Amino acid sequence: MTVSLSPNVITAISAVFGALVGSFLNVCIYRLPLGLSVRTPARSYCPHCRKTIPWWENLPILSWLLLRGRCSTCKSPIHIRYLLVEVLTALLFAAAAIVIPYHSPLLLLPYFTLLGILIVATFVDLEHMIIPDEITWGGAVAGLIFSLLLPELHSAQSNTQAFLSSLLGAGFGFGSLWAIATLGRLAFGRKRMTFATPTPVRWIRNGDEAELSVGEDLSPWGDFFFRGTEKIRMGVLSGDIDGKPVMKSEALWTLNHIQFSLSTQSSAQSHDLNQIDKINLQIEWLVFPREAMGFGDVKFLAAIGSFLGWRAALFTIVAASCLGALYGLFTLLIGKRQWSAIPFGPYLATAALIWIATGPNLVAAYWALVSVAH
């Protein structure tokens, strides 16, 4: 006997399922940036007191509200992000059930997967300025698999045609943003700072990690080496390496070495940073690399393209850029313009959502306006 469910019932089921998935997405958002497994431990725990959360305190949306946003054991606050992610996932899954044609209910599976990827990427990027490979490369592979199994995802006539459309979308998404990032690096890849007074620089290694501070600004060492081949130059006045004095020179930093070139000598002194614990310098100028776009964004668009195709990837680039420009203009108008790096992932995710909701209609309306204007 075949059971037929009404669209309203499918929408309600999708919302409940979304809330449950949102609980798992919160686990991904918390653990992936920290390099923790999303499978072990299997049960959620309070990040403050480490107590395992029982199932009755882990009900999506309801538990956060009933506990008033606090752990029942240590009373530490539970970040409101947990509630927001669960509510947002429920709403987006319900919306997908409405937007996706009812005659193709299996298409909800890849769209639910893509929505989960967009949500995790957005919240991780907002907090950590990264998008994990599990989300980007993993999402691209998932899009290829879904396309092979469900050719309707790309309105294709065969599984092979759908797979090729997915592959083209992933390649176009990756290649287009890679080109933009590369051109941006060529145009804006270096920044020079000259200081009126000697400025302290400290490099400190802690195991396999390190930090660099320039004045009051502290950054993880790896943040300067997106590609691994970048170089930092400094005009050094004085300083020391693990207590050994450094003369006035020009310092050239790479990911694993620092080299001092003295104006009175033709040779340079090179030091392995893996053998150094602390470097203290006083500098008068600094030239450091900067990226127009993080490489995680490039891989993220590849994942979006693998699910939605190259047209959606192109739309996502244009729409995300417009959204970013509008936000920048808004902050400028209200006097809160921030010139520090901002994550581009949330704009890409929002643009992809717009495409899913009504992207083709917007493109058709745009071309209609263009044809009328001419």
Side-chain angles (χ1 to χ4, degrees):
M1 182 178 66
T2 302
V3 178
S4 179
L5 299 177
S6 70
N8 290 336
V9 172
I10 290 182
T11 301
I13 293 174
S14 297
V16 174
F17 180 60
L20 293 170
V21 171
S23 181
F24 172 72
L25 297 184
N26 272 317
V27 173
C28 296
I29 292 168
Y30 174 73
R31 296 188 187 182
L32 286 179
L34 302 178
L36 303 176
S37 171
V38 298
R39 297 186 299 271
T40 306
R43 298 279 296 278
S44 298
Y45 56 87
C46 172
H48 301 284
C49 67
R50 316 299 290 184
K51 175 206 171 185
T52 299
I53 300 175
W55 69 266
W56 60 87
E57 291 184 1
N58 203 24
L59 300 175
I61 302 175
L62 292 177
S63 291
W64 195 96
L65 295 174
L66 293 174
L67 292 171
R68 298 181 180 181
R70 292 189 175 275
C71 173
S72 62
T73 301
C74 66
K75 306 303 179 183
S76 297
I78 303 173
H79 202 290
I80 194 172
R81 168 178 57 79
Y82 289 88
L83 176 65
L84 292 177
V85 168
E86 290 168 357
V87 171
L88 179 62
T89 309
L91 292 175
L92 289 179
F93 276 30
I98 296 172
V99 172
I100 305 305
Y102 180 60
H103 64 271
S104 303
L106 282 178
L107 281 181
L108 288 176
L109 295 178
Y111 277 101
F112 285 168
T113 302
L114 176 58
L115 290 174
I117 289 171
L118 298 180
I119 292 170
V120 173
T122 294
F123 282 90
V124 172
D125 204 16
L126 284 172
E127 184 174 354
H128 298 277
M129 294 286 292
I130 60 170
I131 305 179
D133 284 346
E134 292 87 344
I135 298 300
T136 55
W137 289 134
V141 171
L144 290 170
I145 293 174
F146 275 121
S147 300
L148 184 62
L149 298 177
L150 298 170
E152 306 99 303
L153 184 59
H154 294 272
S155 301
Q157 300 300 316
S158 68
N159 301 78
T160 301
Q161 184 182 358
F163 180 82
L164 292 176
S165 295
S166 175
L167 192 62
L168 176 61
F172 179 85
F174 182 93
S176 56
L177 267 196
W178 178 86
I180 293 173
T182 300
L183 291 174
R185 184 171 182 265
L186 292 175
F188 309 105
R190 292 189 303 170
K191 181 177 181 180
R192 182 182 179 94
M193 302 176 65
T194 303
F195 306 102
T197 58
T199 298
V201 167
R202 297 189 68 193
W203 183 91
I204 299 177
R205 183 172 64 88
N206 184 14
D208 293 332
E209 304 295 331
E211 293 180 329
L212 178 72
S213 65
V214 179
E216 300 296 328
D217 296 328
L218 178 66
S219 301
W221 183 236
D223 284 4
F224 297 98
F225 298 91
F226 292 101
R227 302 168 189 264
T229 58
E230 293 86 350
K231 296 178 180 179
I232 302 174
R233 296 182 180 275
M234 297 179 182
V236 178
L237 297 173
S238 62
D240 68 84
I241 298 179
D242 283 341
K244 298 179 180 179
V246 172
M247 299 175 62
K248 184 176 181 179
S249 57
E250 178 179 318
L252 173 64
W253 301 74
T254 59
L255 178 60
N256 294 309
H257 292 85
I258 182 172
Q259 177 178 291
F260 294 96
S261 299
L262 303 178
S263 58
T264 58
Q265 298 180 7
S266 58
S267 61
Q269 301 175 4
S270 182
H271 303 270
D272 186 352
L273 293 176
N274 296 303
Q275 306 298 321
I276 297 171
D277 294 320
K278 185 183 300 183
I279 299 176
N280 294 298
L281 302 174
Q282 294 286 327
I283 68 171
E284 57 182 345
W285 56 265
L286 164 69
V287 177
F288 64 91
R290 56 181 180 178
E291 293 285 336
M293 183 178 300
F295 199 61
D297 299 323
V298 177
K299 295 179 285 185
F300 185 33
L301 188 60
I304 293 172
S306 73
F307 276 91
L308 303 178
W310 74 267
R311 293 178 180 84
L314 177 59
F315 175 90
T316 299
I317 295 174
V318 176
S321 300
C322 292
L323 291 171
L326 288 174
Y327 176 76
L329 179 61
F330 173 75
T331 57
L332 183 62
L333 291 175
I334 64 175
K336 294 185 177 180
R337 178 65 167 144
Q338 295 181 353
W339 298 104
S340 58
I342 58 174
F344 193 54
Y347 297 119
L348 292 172
T350 303
L353 288 177
I354 295 173
W355 174 266
I356 294 171
T358 187
N361 294 330
L362 290 176
V363 173
Y366 170 78
W367 287 118
L369 287 175
V370 170
S371 62
V372 170
H374 286 79

